[in-house]
Amino acid sequence: MRHFIIFLFCICCSIPLQAQILPNAKPKLVVGIVVDQMRYDYLTRFWDQFGDDGFKELVNNGFNFRNNHFNYAPTVTGPGHASVFTGTGPANHGIIDNIWYDKIGGEIVYCAEDRSVSSVGTTSSAGKMSPHRMKVTSFADENRLYTQFRGKTIGISLKDRGAILPAGHTANAAYWFEGGNVGKWISSTFYLEELPKWVQDFNNSEVAQSYFKTWNTLHDISTYTQSGDDLNNFEGRFRGESTADFPYDLRELREENKGFDLIVNTPYGNDLTLDFALAAIEAEELGKDDYTDVLTLSFSSTDKVGHIFGVNSKEVQDTYLRLDRNIAKLLRSLNESVGEGNYTIFLTADHGAGDVPSYLESLKIPAGYTDTSILSTKLEDFLKEEFRREDLIEMVFGPVYLNHEAIRSAGLTREHVEQRIADFLLNQDMISKVFTRTQLEQTQFSSGLASAIQQGFHHKRSGDVIFVLDPAVIGSSFPTGSTHGSGYNYDTHVPLIFYGTGITHGHTTQRSEIVDIAPTISSLLGIQFPNGATGKPLSIMLD
């Protein structure tokens, strides 16, 4: 008889204690922060003026991905928020832009619009919104499924799309702010039939009203040496102001600037967002039980200030110094209400932004503006001369949408018409590259702008010819303020910081991508990845 001796080796003995604990160390609350229009270099440019308990706390005691990028274009708010929380790009989640042309319905549609639901908290149509156009789940959805809906999800943003798309399809609620003369946080019947009492109480308070005050710099303006002159030719301005320089009396400017919309266009909009988020954490008892809750929190006023004043403005610098205080206040509140070591935060952005082209031109850096409506007219004239038809284009709305039926009736092929349009567009000033539907459907691009365009291309929703402008060129005639939307580094390179439970301390310059966030959080929670996720867990931080 043979005797077998089995030796059991405890591999745990050779693994550091921290690694043994991490798989079971689930946070009670995950807070996903998206800062609208935050370039990565805002972290480094304004670092010396940040306090020790805001951005510096996240970076110094969290994990900082210094080379984090969007892997697709267009880089705008709707697709950005959807991609952060679903772990995939527009090619899969279907949010191809903030607004796009719906070829099937023959109309322009908005990414969060939903005519089948009703507004809650307002009599206007501002609440007729939902995530129904987003075709995949978010990690918040997967957490709800995993916890048998015991874990809560709350989405908050001044912008409807910034609250709705991150929170996903199964959220307990998403709340956004209606400006104008209303000044209230609202929702839709997609989530609930009436606002909870705590939301009604917040709306009935004087919190929003209190921000109609003077906006001056947080510190002495002479110390704002990381930005340009306060008075220059490259900034927009509020209505009623002849110049764009500090201070701004918001009480006096209120009427001419659409009431509460003015608050949204200043850093006080971020203050108001945080006020509401802290009220939500308390009232909804987020992070109070053993089932992980998710709070999606988007700070939108940074985008508004950037569009008006530009990335090199004193106004942008002051907005980020104030946002640093918001982050510090949030951390203090979470430590008190949820408990230090019981929550995980990630902070990123929905896109970056470029320098004002007119400013770059003044420095002899190649940049410029192009009028896409003129380009559209020239293209229509070209097709009329080339094919003797006036109906081959259905719509030019960013991409060129072809009339496929007209092409067939003319005895033409779509591929031929696409290529002739591409040839024409490549001969136009300020256009760098052109991609056709045929190319994007039949060729697999692995890097560069071609890959970014492909990752943003949805077979059913996108157009037939997509053109890319030269670097630092925008499709606008307004010579002030910054914008975004391209696949260039100034729009794709954004912060990504993880902090809290289950997060090691460190940093890396290895490339990470925005679609990696949701799989990383899913791995931390031990839940299923979002069903359309194409990103990968950031193992350099987790393993």
Side-chain angles (χ1 to χ4, degrees):
M1 178 180 296
R2 294 182 178 180
H3 298 277
F4 294 89
I5 300 176
I6 299 175
F7 292 92
L8 299 179
F9 177 68
C10 180
I11 61 172
C12 296
C13 299
S14 64
I15 300 176
L17 179 61
Q18 182 185 34
Q20 294 179 47
I21 294 174
L22 284 182
N24 298 316
K26 289 186 181 181
K28 292 186 175 183
L29 175 64
V30 172
V31 182
I33 302 173
V34 177
V35 182
D36 207 322
Q37 200 187 121
M38 184 175 184
R39 293 160 53 113
Y40 177 81
D41 69 343
Y42 288 161
L43 273 180
T44 55
R45 278 173 56 191
F46 307 141
W47 182 263
D48 289 344
Q49 285 191 293
F50 289 149
D52 292 332
D53 50 357
F55 283 116
K56 285 184 177 179
E57 171 65 18
L58 296 182
V59 171
N60 291 335
N61 292 302
F63 201 100
N64 183 18
F65 290 87
R66 296 176 174 176
N67 189 22
N68 183 64
H69 288 264
F70 282 87
N71 65 335
Y72 67 82
T75 44
V76 293
T77 300
H81 282 78
S83 299
V84 168
F85 289 85
T86 64
T88 193
N92 293 309
H93 62 55
I95 305 298
I96 61 172
D97 210 324
N98 291 334
I99 302 172
W100 65 86
Y101 177 65
D102 178 12
K103 296 178 288 187
I104 297 175
E107 61 179 343
I108 305 298
V109 298
Y110 174 59
C111 63
E113 171 191 34
D114 189 347
R115 297 167 189 165
S116 72
V117 301
S118 300
S119 300
V120 174
T122 179
T123 57
S124 77
S125 62
K128 294 177 72 65
M129 304 287 169
S130 85
H132 78 107
R133 297 191 192 279
M134 190 169 75
K135 296 297 186 181
V136 300
T137 61
S138 70
F139 78 76
D141 286 321
E142 297 298 337
N143 184 66
R144 290 276 282 161
L145 292 167
Y146 180 85
T147 62
Q148 300 299 312
F149 298 91
R150 297 183 182 96
K152 289 185 177 181
T153 297
I154 304 291
I156 294 173
S157 174
L158 293 172
K159 295 181 179 180
D160 47 42
R161 57 189 181 272
I164 291 168
L165 299 175
H169 304 275
T170 62
N172 299 81
Y175 301 104
W176 52 98
F177 189 71
E178 184 176 9
N181 294 321
V182 178
K184 306 287 187 183
W185 291 90
I186 64 173
S187 190
S188 85
T189 53
F190 182 86
Y191 305 100
L192 32 75
E193 294 300 318
E194 64 178 356
L195 294 179
K197 185 178 184 302
W198 72 265
V199 178
Q200 296 180 42
D201 290 344
F202 190 97
N203 284 337
N204 292 331
S205 71
E206 295 296 316
V207 175
Q209 187 79 23
S210 71
Y211 289 113
F212 284 110
K213 56 186 179 181
T214 299
W215 175 23
N216 208 342
T217 53
L218 188 61
H219 306 299
D220 188 328
I221 197 170
S222 66
T223 66
Y224 285 29
T225 56
Q226 296 82 12
S227 49
D229 294 337
D230 189 28
L231 191 59
N232 60 71
N233 297 323
F234 313 113
E235 298 177 326
R237 59 181 183 269
F238 295 128
R239 294 183 183 90
E241 292 275 81
S242 58
T243 58
D245 56 336
F246 284 103
Y248 300 98
D249 189 333
L250 305 188
R251 288 177 293 262
E252 290 187 0
L253 296 171
R254 174 177 181 171
E255 185 174 346
E256 290 188 68
N257 291 272
K258 300 182 180 179
F260 285 95
D261 285 359
L262 179 59
I263 300 299
V264 173
N265 292 330
T266 74
Y268 297 140
N270 290 335
D271 292 343
L272 177 61
T273 302
L274 181 61
D275 292 336
F276 188 74
L278 296 182
I281 292 170
E282 180 180 359
E284 297 289 348
E285 298 185 325
L286 299 183
K288 292 295 188 181
D289 59 28
D290 293 331
Y291 299 99
T292 301
D293 298 322
V294 176
L295 173 66
T296 74
L297 179 57
S298 178
F299 289 105
S300 305
S301 292
T302 43
D303 181 71
K304 300 290 188 178
V305 174
H307 277 298
I308 297 171
F309 299 101
V311 303
N312 197 46
S313 64
K314 292 280 192 283
E315 287 81 359
V316 161
Q317 181 168 354
D318 191 67
T319 297
Y320 277 89
L321 297 185
R322 291 175 180 273
L323 180 62
D324 179 57
R325 289 193 168 188
N326 294 142
I327 301 299
K329 184 176 180 180
L330 174 62
L331 293 177
R332 287 194 299 271
S333 178
L334 290 174
N335 286 338
E336 293 171 3
S337 63
V338 182
E340 191 171 355
N342 288 325
Y343 62 88
T344 301
I345 289 176
F346 69 81
L347 183 145
T348 189
D350 58 346
H351 51 74
D355 281 286
V356 181
S358 58
Y359 170 64
L360 295 179
E361 287 179 312
S362 74
L363 301 173
K364 301 181 181 179
I365 296 175
Y369 302 85
T370 184
D371 192 329
T372 52
S373 63
I374 294 175
L375 179 64
S376 176
T377 300
K378 291 171 66 176
L379 176 57
E380 290 172 353
D381 291 342
F382 164 75
L383 291 177
K384 182 179 179 180
E385 180 179 349
E386 178 83 2
F387 297 110
R388 301 294 187 265
R389 297 283 297 235
E390 298 183 14
D391 58 350
L392 300 183
I393 292 180
E394 189 166 329
M395 174 70 70
V396 178
F397 196 79
V400 179
Y401 291 82
L402 297 178
N403 185 331
H404 292 197
E405 181 59 37
I407 290 172
R408 283 190 292 268
S409 67
L412 301 168
T413 65
R414 188 199 74 201
E415 292 80 4
H416 178 59
V417 176
E418 286 175 357
Q419 191 56 53
R420 293 301 294 132
I421 291 175
D423 293 341
F424 169 81
L425 291 174
L426 275 174
N427 285 319
Q428 306 306 305
D429 289 341
M430 299 186 179
I431 290 182
S432 171
K433 294 177 176 62
V434 181
F435 299 92
T436 67
R437 173 175 287 272
T438 301
Q439 285 178 297
L440 295 171
E441 288 180 342
Q442 297 182 2
T443 306
Q444 183 64 44
F445 299 103
S446 60
S447 62
L449 274 173
S451 177
I453 295 298
Q454 190 166 57
Q455 294 297 325
F457 178 82
H458 191 274
H459 283 232
K460 192 170 183 177
R461 292 180 174 177
S462 294
D464 299 294
V465 182
I466 299 171
F467 57 90
V468 178
L469 299 176
D470 288 338
V473 172
I474 63 175
S476 169
S477 58
F478 296 103
T480 59
S482 293
T483 193
H484 50 85
S486 78
Y488 295 114
N489 284 326
Y490 50 80
D491 283 337
T492 67
H493 189 197
V494 298
L496 176 57
I497 310 167
F498 289 84
Y499 174 91
T501 305
I503 305 302
T504 56
H505 302 169
H507 59 83
T508 183
T509 55
Q510 291 183 20
R511 181 181 171 96
S512 60
E513 295 182 341
I514 213 74
V515 295
D516 298 333
I517 296 172
T520 300
I521 292 295
S522 297
S523 295
L524 182 68
L525 297 181
I527 63 175
Q528 186 65 265
F529 288 9
N531 61 14
T534 53
K536 60 186 183 303
L538 294 166
S539 57
I540 191 172
M541 178 185 71
L542 294 178
D543 293 348

